[in-house]
Amino acid sequence: MTYWACVKYNEAERPMIYGTIQAYLKDAGERMCLTKKAADKMGLPVGFKLVRGAYMSSERKLARSLGVESPIHNNINDTHDCFNGCATFMLDEVSNRPGGLILATHNLHSGKLVAQKAGEYGITKDSNKLEFASLYGMAEAMTFGLRNAGFSVSKYLPFGPVDQIMPYLLRRAEENKGMLSSSNLDRQLMMKELKRRTKAHFGRGVTESENQFKPQATP
């Protein structure tokens, strides 16, 4: 369905329809390369939203029940390598050709890597070829840093019944352990900002109090 929509609606330099690549799957890189090659052959701009994944536990259980090899990478480092490799490949592809990449991540290392690679490949921040995305309330320090650097950044907010949303959020935490380290950084920066504002507020109050006792200049 996604690829059919790409063929039907992706006509301009910037794709309207993006397909999702889940980097926790062992064949993610191969599928991205084959899709990009097919799109180039058809003369279509193609865009990918790159994520790490979501259903590791259930897919491993399904593979065991069917007696087949698990489609999931054996460890989280392999998933990280696949994610960063796919991102680098796609940045190279769109650097001088139509296409786009949405990097959905809370991982600081991946965010820094892609921002650096974008500069190396000459992808300007206003080219609309690269966008970062993350959950609202997570990796805020990375979000503000990327936005202040001029990159396009979007936040998305899941909503619905608690019994459905909580498993979704837990899967996000499971798929990307780097999110926890970024949350620690968020807390550190928020505490630093809170202290700065508190100091500024009370400092201003002290200054105002001191001014009340200063002799007033006579007209």
Side-chain angles (χ1 to χ4, degrees):
M1 179 66 72
T2 300
Y3 294 138
W4 173 86
C6 289
V7 173
K8 184 174 178 63
Y9 297 108
N10 286 357
E11 298 177 351
E13 287 282 315
R14 183 184 183 186
M16 179 182 294
I17 307 297
Y18 282 66
T20 298
I21 294 291
Q22 300 188 97
Y24 77 143
L25 296 173
K26 294 177 180 178
D27 65 345
E30 181 182 7
R31 285 188 292 109
M32 174 180 273
C33 291
L34 291 175
T35 303
K36 184 65 173 65
K37 184 177 180 180
D40 289 344
K41 188 175 181 180
M42 298 175 66
L44 293 172
V46 64
F48 292 106
K49 177 184 177 183
L50 184 60
V51 303
R52 276 176 167 76
Y55 303 100
M56 290 179 284
S57 299
S58 60
E59 291 194 6
R60 285 193 176 114
K61 290 179 181 178
L62 178 60
R64 283 197 298 269
S65 68
L66 296 175
V68 298
E69 180 184 356
S70 172
I72 309 300
H73 285 298
N74 296 328
N75 56 68
I76 189 62
N77 288 330
D78 287 346
T79 297
H80 290 331
D81 291 341
C82 180
F83 184 93
N84 295 333
C86 287
T88 301
F89 165 79
M90 197 58 190
L91 287 175
D92 183 31
E93 289 293 309
V94 304
S95 60
N96 53 18
R97 289 184 291 273
L101 174 66
I102 298 176
L103 195 81
T105 185
H106 306 100
N107 187 284
L108 287 172
H109 175 70
S110 294
K112 291 179 180 178
L113 174 67
V114 171
Q116 178 182 347
K117 290 291 184 181
E120 293 176 2
Y121 287 126
I123 299 176
T124 59
K125 297 168 185 176
D126 59 351
S127 66
N128 295 321
K129 290 187 174 183
L130 173 63
E131 181 179 340
F132 293 86
S134 59
L135 275 166
Y136 179 75
M138 296 184 181
E140 299 294 83
M142 183 176 71
T143 297
F144 285 116
L146 290 167
R147 187 66 191 93
N148 290 338
F151 290 101
S152 296
V153 180
S154 62
K155 306 292 285 188
Y156 62 104
L157 178 65
F159 64 93
V162 174
D163 61 338
Q164 295 180 22
I165 293 299
M166 289 309 297
Y168 171 86
L169 294 175
L170 289 173
R171 288 198 299 269
R172 299 282 81 75
E174 182 181 7
E175 81 189 35
N176 193 346
K177 299 300 191 297
M179 181 182 68
L180 301 179
S181 62
S182 65
S183 296
N184 290 333
L185 177 60
D186 288 342
R187 286 194 294 271
Q188 293 172 12
L189 292 177
M190 284 189 286
M191 182 59 68
K192 183 178 180 180
E193 178 63 14
L194 180 60
K195 290 180 179 178
R196 185 193 69 80
R197 295 188 184 191
T198 302
K199 184 178 180 180
H201 173 75
F202 285 104
R204 183 169 60 251
V206 170
T207 301
E208 292 174 352
S209 298
E210 291 175 346
N211 289 337
Q212 293 178 5
F213 296 97
K214 287 184 178 180
Q216 301 296 317
T218 56

